[in-house]
Amino acid sequence: FDGNTSYKNDYVKHPIRSRSAAPAKAPRGMPAPFEGASTYNTDFQKYNTPRTGPAKPYPSTLRPDSGPFEGTPEYKREYVKHPLEEKVMVHLEPELRRIRTASLDRT
């Protein structure tokens, strides 16, 4: 046994190269003079379209009823109260024979 692990035997150590600095880039100039217009302003022009009227109906077409409601409301019609089923209560008595034999075994 020479004291080397299988990792040390199997691992191939590669030489480390020194890092080189990235080449310096020349400063870029403006491709064209700035005219003060963004791509939003040039590509998306505002069109003069006529204004549309309100989407709400005119108040004269909607008149609230002043009288009482005659009919069945949706809640009362859809949600009918059903009678509840009678729940059966079951009471289980402990078996007295087991309790008596268990208490006799303890003494």
Side-chain angles (χ1 to χ4, degrees), residues 25-79:
K25 293 184 179 179
R28 291 185 354 177
M30 296 286 280
F34 181 67
E35 296 175 359
S38 65
T39 55
Y40 179 83
N41 286 335
T42 57
D43 294 347
F44 302 101
Q45 297 175 2
K46 184 175 182 180
Y47 296 103
N48 293 328
T49 56
R51 293 283 238 155
T52 59
K56 294 180 182 178
Y58 292 105
S60 63
T61 59
L62 295 175
R63 295 186 189 130
D65 288 336
S66 58
F69 176 72
E70 295 176 12
T72 307
E74 182 76 11
Y75 181 84
K76 197 170 197 176
R77 190 168 51 84
E78 290 291 328
Y79 300 102

